[in-house]
Amino acid sequence: DVFRNKGFVEYRVRAVFSGPFEIDENTAIEPNRHLLLLGAAMVAEFTDSKISAFRNYFDEAALLEQMIAA
């Protein structure tokens, strides 16, 4: 959808958790080879019919929950 100077889209991402996810230099979540599914939304802002900014939204807690699942 487009409304005034903003465009909106919902999308899904699928990925296999195959490499460590580093939270900081001392903490990492080790890969479990599970399929991760993530629903997300993006907003694109336009200035003079050109994209001037992107914002992506997704549920970080749902992603981490899938990453740490046994």
Side-chain angles (χ1 to χ4, degrees):
D1 285 333
V2 176
F3 181 73
R4 295 186 186 169
N5 70 327
K6 293 184 175 84
F8 305 88
V9 64
E10 293 178 319
Y11 61 96
R12 298 193 184 279
V13 176
R14 291 180 180 198
V16 174
F17 184 23
S18 62
F21 178 75
E22 294 184 14
I23 296 172
D24 59 36
E25 62 185 43
N26 299 316
T27 309
I29 300 173
E30 293 301 320
N32 57 19
R33 306 291 304 167
H34 290 167
L35 179 65
L36 304 177
L37 303 172
L38 180 65
M42 182 179 65
V43 178
E45 291 185 38
F46 297 88
T47 302
D48 298 327
S49 72
K50 294 183 180 181
I51 296 173
S52 56
F54 280 116
R55 291 190 309 277
N56 285 284
Y57 299 96
F58 62 93
D59 185 348
E60 293 176 19
L63 179 60
L64 287 172
E65 184 177 281
Q66 293 177 70
M67 294 171 87
I68 60 174

